[in-house]
Amino acid sequence: MREKITKLITEVEAFAAETKDEVESFRIKYLGKKGVLADLFAEMKNIAPEMRKDFGQMVNELKVKAEDKLNGLQEVLQAAHDNAKQADLDLTLPGDPIALGSRHPISLVRAEILRIFGRIGFTVADGPEIEDDWHNFTALNFPENHPARDMQDTFFISQEGGKDSIALRTHTSSIQVRVMEKSKPPIRILAPGRVYRNEAISARAHCFFHQVEGLYIDENVSFADLKQTLLYFAQEMFGSDAKIRLRPSYFPFTEPSAEMDVSCQICKGKGCNVCKYTGWLEIMGCGMVDPNVLTNCNIDPEKYSGYAFGMGIERIAMLKYDVKDLRLYSENDVRFLRQFSSSN
Ligand code: DAH
């Protein structure tokens, strides 16, 4: 028996193969279910007990040798296969195309707004999406019982509605406060960002959207400066024949306050279903910064005045691209997104 196993070990060690089939028959012969090793293990019970340990060790040695040999042969075969594949590689073939993404319409419109105001000296400011009551409401002159503080509009994180409350910002006007608190006039900033409101999601409303806030504070800033700046913006954004009109409105943080309409670029003022046959489209709120807000931010309202405005990016994008369902902007359907290229 001993000799038989020694012979098998020599045989295994000496085995050489060139093809996959040869390697496979080696595996079946030695390591297969009915192979040499299976037979030897089955034989174990017929071996005299005092010889069994010795026998077991030898069979094991044979098993390890056979497995090592098989692994070695398989590696050699695999390497040969890989080499052959590499030889097949045609480096002159054109590469696989890489699918290029496109910029999101909201990013495109935001970049365009920042570019337009950048040309007349506005820099970009930023602020947190999780805000305290002071920056989102109190410093902006919101009366204590103002409905905008209501749970229906605001996603509170803690201390619902109170002066110590923390909430998701409901507008980017909070950034005005942050900028005024830490810088001295002249201030000329644009603050883009995401805002949140507790609203039912529909084609015309969403629980989050994007705004750009503008703020200009200096000596002798007047409503005429605001009007001219907004006319410049409207003509850059919608075309040199765009007209604007300002309607009186109310915001706690501006006095006087206005809403700005731009002439409908689709019907050129004649009336269509986009402008609901008025010839005008509302695009932003604006006004002269209320002296109370300046005082809250440690800016002397006797010396300085300023204007502010705020617009929704989705709203501008809807008008620019004629997309009427707000939900499309956040669903990330590539069939929608692919239609916008950065050259727009
Ligand atoms: N914060 C206002 C809103 O979310 C928009 C706005 C209106 C901003 C008038 C302003 C402003 O700075 O002067 O509806």
Side-chain angles (χ1 to χ4, degrees):
M1 207 38 129
R2 200 173 238 289
E3 272 147 43
K4 184 179 164 201
I5 300 176
T6 315
K7 201 173 147 233
L8 283 168
I9 291 178
T10 328
E11 220 176 87
V12 163
E13 280 175 340
F15 183 79
E18 268 168 22
T19 68
K20 222 173 152 181
D21 289 346
E22 285 169 353
V23 174
E24 183 59 8
S25 16
F26 173 85
R27 187 190 68 77
I28 295 170
K29 178 173 175 198
Y30 291 94
L31 295 157
K33 258 194 196 146
K34 292 181 186 153
V36 172
L37 274 152
D39 287 350
L40 286 170
F41 279 119
E43 194 63 25
M44 193 79 98
K45 60 180 186 304
N46 304 327
I47 302 289
E50 65 276 15
M51 306 279 286
R52 217 172 262 166
K53 189 174 165 211
D54 223 23
F55 178 79
Q57 272 172 357
M58 290 195 73
V59 176
N60 251 331
E61 193 190 341
L62 175 63
K63 184 176 173 228
V64 171
K65 289 257 155 77
E67 281 171 350
D68 284 353
K69 174 61 86 177
L70 180 68
N71 287 340
L73 288 171
Q74 279 172 341
E75 265 169 40
V76 171
L77 273 182
Q78 187 60 41
H81 177 73
D82 290 349
N83 277 342
K85 231 173 146 183
Q86 275 211 325
D88 277 349
L89 194 67
D90 182 352
L91 293 174
T92 64
L93 283 176
D96 288 335
I98 298 170
L100 266 192
S102 56
R103 293 185 69 195
H104 195 282
I106 297 300
S107 303
L108 292 171
V109 172
R110 180 186 50 209
E112 180 68 11
I113 298 170
L114 298 186
R115 225 176 2 249
I116 293 171
F117 282 101
R119 270 185 241 133
I120 52 170
F122 282 77
T123 54
V124 177
D126 199 7
E129 290 184 23
I130 297 175
E131 260 305 0
D132 52 32
D133 176 85
W134 171 257
H135 292 95
N136 199 72
F137 295 123
T138 301
L140 288 164
N141 205 31
F142 275 80
E144 197 142 353
N145 299 316
H146 196 282
R149 293 180 182 230
D150 204 307
M151 302 155 47
Q152 268 147 32
D153 283 319
T154 307
F155 286 117
F156 286 101
I157 288 175
S158 67
Q159 307 282 329
E160 230 161 72
K163 290 244 180 221
D164 299 322
S165 63
I166 302 288
L168 295 179
R169 69 179 172 204
T170 59
H171 53 182
T172 43
S173 303
S174 55
I175 306 173
Q176 282 192 26
V177 179
R178 292 193 171 268
V179 171
M180 284 193 276
E181 278 174 341
K182 57 179 200 302
S183 33
K184 299 239 160 312
I187 294 170
R188 192 157 40 190
I189 57 106
L190 224 52
R194 183 175 288 178
V195 301
Y196 301 84
R197 298 214 188 146
N198 196 349
E199 304 223 20
I201 297 171
S202 70
R204 320 192 97 242
H206 213 296
C207 58
F208 67 82
F209 53 97
H210 301 80
Q211 290 187 328
V212 178
E213 182 82 10
L215 176 73
Y216 178 36
I217 310 281
D218 203 349
E219 290 179 40
N220 302 317
V221 177
S222 72
F223 201 91
D225 296 322
L226 169 63
K227 202 174 159 188
Q228 198 57 34
T229 306
L230 296 185
L231 176 64
Y232 157 76
F233 167 71
Q235 296 191 333
E236 292 290 311
M237 190 75 190
F238 297 105
S240 54
D241 56 348
K243 294 186 194 54
I244 63 164
R245 75 175 182 188
L246 294 166
R247 284 178 289 107
S249 184
Y250 171 78
F251 298 102
F253 35 91
T254 42
E255 182 58 38
S257 304
E259 258 156 323
M260 183 183 114
D261 297 342
V262 64
S263 53
C264 180
Q265 290 306 295
I266 294 172
C267 63
K268 303 283 172 204
K270 283 195 204 76
C272 65
N273 66 355
V274 173
C275 62
K276 301 208 189 78
Y277 300 95
T278 62
W280 296 96
L281 296 157
E282 183 193 320
I283 60 164
M284 68 172 99
C286 59
M288 301 306 291
V289 180
D290 193 293
N292 287 341
V293 176
L294 294 176
T295 308
N296 287 339
C297 302
N298 306 318
I299 291 178
D300 181 2
E302 300 296 330
K303 186 165 180 208
Y304 295 106
S305 57
Y307 62 70
F309 54 86
M311 63 188 113
I313 303 183
E314 279 83 352
R315 172 97 186 127
I316 310 262
M318 277 169 121
L319 300 176
K320 211 173 151 67
Y321 301 121
D322 198 16
V323 171
K324 297 196 187 80
D325 191 332
L326 260 183
R327 290 168 295 197
L328 286 166
Y329 291 115
S330 51
E331 279 168 355
N332 283 339
D333 185 333
V334 288
R335 291 168 303 175
F336 172 70
L337 296 176
R338 252 192 228 125
Q339 300 173 60
F340 303 91
S341 79
S342 18
S343 58
N344 275 346

